[in-house]
Amino acid sequence: MAMNDYRLTTGDIVKLKSPYKPADFPQARNLHWPGFGYGIVVDILTTQMIVNGAAYGDQSPRNVSLNLYDATGQMMIEPMYVEAGLCIPSYVDFHISELELYKIATESGYRPVSNPPDWSLICDHEQSILNEFIG
């Protein structure tokens, strides 16, 4: 299978193009903390862009929910959950143009990806469609 044709699915691991650094997290007080840079896909939120009731694009994922973690493996858990003694990972929603495929979930574990697909093209395509309605 060509990586350009790969469709992101639940369980896959991605790298964030820009680390996620919520200001209310204790780690954010450390100026050297790089932020949450990786995520595990927990849900596919949208597969098509809908404008004025018309669907654009194929059935490839567009927006996903991720459980985030940092380079040390620390999962993102809301501070209020930690204070309550709950270890429930938080999730954050992203457009796939903000992500890079890192590892593919398989039946026996994970397969590293050496040449990930360029999902920024999806965002460019969506923007061109939106421009037709604006301009």
Side-chain angles (χ1 to χ4, degrees), residues 88-100:
I88 302 169
S90 306
Y91 58 89
V92 180
D93 301 341
F94 290 88
H95 187 275
I96 66 167
S97 64
E98 301 174 89
L99 311 171
E100 179 180 298

Side-chain angles (χ1 to χ4, degrees), residues 20 40 42 45 65-68 76 78 88-94:
Y20 185 75
I40 301 168
V42 294
L45 299 174
S65 286
L66 304 176
N67 284 140
L68 300 177
M76 180 178 147
E78 293 291 333
I88 302 169
S90 306
Y91 58 89
V92 180
D93 301 341
F94 290 88

Side-chain angles (χ1 to χ4, degrees), residues 20-29 33 36 76-80 83:
Y20 185 75
K21 295 181 177 185
D24 60 339
F25 274 68
Q27 301 95 315
R29 292 185 207 117
W33 180 62
F36 295 105
M76 180 178 147
I77 301 174
E78 293 291 333
M80 64 182 175
E83 291 170 12

Side-chain angles (χ1 to χ4, degrees), residues 7-57:
R7 291 186 182 194
L8 193 64
T9 189
T10 55
D12 287 346
I13 298 177
V14 295
K15 280 186 179 180
L16 280 63
K17 290 182 179 177
S18 297
Y20 185 75
K21 295 181 177 185
D24 60 339
F25 274 68
Q27 301 95 315
R29 292 185 207 117
N30 176 352
L31 298 177
H32 302 291
W33 180 62
F36 295 105
Y38 301 88
I40 301 168
V41 178
V42 294
D43 195 14
I44 306 294
L45 299 174
T46 61
T47 57
Q48 294 182 313
M49 183 177 71
I50 308 293
V51 180
N52 293 340
Y56 294 88

